Amino acid sequence: MPQNLETRVPDPEKDRVPPAVPRWGGAHFLVFRNLRVHTGGNPWTMAMYSIFEPILYLLAIGVGIGRLVGDVDGVNVTYAAFVAPGLLATAVMNSALYETMEGAFVKFTHERYYRAILFTPVSLTGIVAGEVAWAVLRGFVTAIGFLLVITVFGLVSWPDALVAAAGTLLVAFAFGSAGLAVTTRIRAWSDFQYVQLVLLPMFLFATTFYPVTVYPRVIQVIVELLPLYHAIQLLRGCALGRIDSGLVVSVLYLLVMGALGLVVARRRWARVMLH
């Protein structure tokens, strides 16, 4: 005769309750998974692929055209040293955006990866936080690889490179959060063309290759509103050892951008996946 549930002797093994995961928890599981899938555990593989394009720009424009330009007026550094931090910021931006845009789009639409995760103890907040954390790691590894190259070239000193590396964490956070929020608006691969319509002009005009002072004042105001401009200003000031109060504006801009992107991404992904 079956034993009554009220009189059954508890079994410690069968009755063991799995530990509860906090509502915000589980983000680290996504970071570990992405690291294994993308690199097989070797993060430097990411750096090799990510820094190839900016190094080509540095050699072709920074070094090549730099021989014709000489020192940059008002900055008193070689043209290559001026361009390098701009390319660093762009490389970090592209690395972070790739993971939270194209990468997240594939996981959601083709692999059904996020919906599967929701059946595990990992929460939706953990998914969003984990993907942004992964974007920050991806951008940071890219930055380390690029900084090693330009340090060997003598374009930045070791102490300044370490400070710039810390700044890249903020840049990756800002763009990674914003990218994950924007991805919820993507409906097909063709929509990424609109993203490129924003990124390419920003790359060309956000002082990557020349100071903002070359523009008329009206254009300067527009450029100074661009997120890549503030990323470049922050990393250029760190890489050239010119840290002053002016960088506070760029730091605050990127912090607010990242925080807002994180909040919007959480709300948008909740609407997309839970409704």
Side-chain angles (χ1 to χ4, degrees):
M1 181 175 180
Q3 192 175 25
N4 188 285
L5 292 178
E6 295 182 356
T7 61
R8 182 175 62 87
V9 178
D11 187 335
E13 291 298 323
K14 294 181 179 180
D15 299 340
R16 183 169 56 89
V17 178
V21 177
R23 184 172 178 272
W24 47 264
H28 58 290
F29 293 125
L30 272 76
V31 176
F32 293 151
R33 177 264 179 195
N34 289 336
L35 186 61
R36 294 294 300 177
V37 169
H38 287 270
T39 69
N42 182 9
W44 297 112
T45 304
M46 294 188 298
M48 292 176 61
Y49 287 109
S50 301
I51 68 176
F52 183 71
E53 182 178 352
I55 286 178
L56 289 181
Y57 275 111
L58 181 63
L59 293 175
I61 298 178
V63 178
I65 298 179
R67 292 184 177 273
L68 302 176
V69 175
D71 291 348
V72 180
D73 294 337
V75 186
N76 297 323
V77 296
T78 64
Y79 185 67
F82 177 83
V83 169
L87 295 175
L88 170 64
T90 303
V92 173
M93 175 189 73
N94 288 336
S95 294
L97 287 179
Y98 176 80
E99 294 300 332
T100 56
M101 296 197 73
E102 286 94 337
F105 180 74
V106 170
K107 292 174 185 176
F108 178 71
T109 59
H110 299 289
E111 299 178 354
R112 307 292 181 181
Y113 172 69
Y114 296 132
R115 294 190 184 277
I117 287 182
L118 289 179
F119 289 95
T120 72
V122 180
S123 67
L124 178 60
T125 303
I127 292 176
V128 173
E131 289 293 56
V132 173
W134 166 246
V136 172
L137 177 60
R138 174 69 183 269
F140 183 69
V141 172
T142 297
I144 294 299
F146 190 78
L147 283 169
L148 287 174
V149 173
I150 63 177
T151 302
V152 171
F153 285 172
L155 302 178
V156 61
S157 66
W158 284 107
D160 292 336
L162 294 176
V163 177
T168 60
L169 294 172
L170 180 57
V171 174
F173 167 66
F175 283 101
S177 299
L180 197 62
V182 172
T183 302
T184 58
R185 299 290 184 179
I186 301 295
R187 294 294 176 263
W189 283 107
S190 57
D191 291 345
F192 283 105
Q193 297 177 8
Y194 300 108
V195 177
Q196 290 301 319
L197 285 177
V198 175
L199 295 182
L200 182 58
M202 189 165 59
F203 166 63
L204 294 175
F205 298 108
T207 69
T208 308
F209 300 108
Y210 34 77
V212 70
T213 53
V214 303
Y215 298 116
R217 182 54 192 163
V218 175
I219 305 300
Q220 289 182 29
V221 173
I222 297 175
V223 171
E224 289 169 356
L225 295 176
L226 299 175
L228 183 58
Y229 167 80
H230 289 281
I232 292 175
Q233 288 298 106
L234 174 61
L235 298 188
R236 183 168 284 151
C238 293
L240 298 181
R242 301 180 181 182
I243 300 177
D244 52 34
S245 58
L247 296 184
V248 174
V249 175
S250 295
V251 170
L252 293 177
Y253 182 104
L254 295 173
L255 280 174
V256 172
M257 175 182 170
L260 288 178
L262 204 58
V263 171
V264 173
R266 173 61 177 81
R267 292 179 178 178
R268 286 292 304 164
W269 280 102
R271 182 176 301 178
V272 169
M273 292 197 291
L274 302 181
H275 295 282

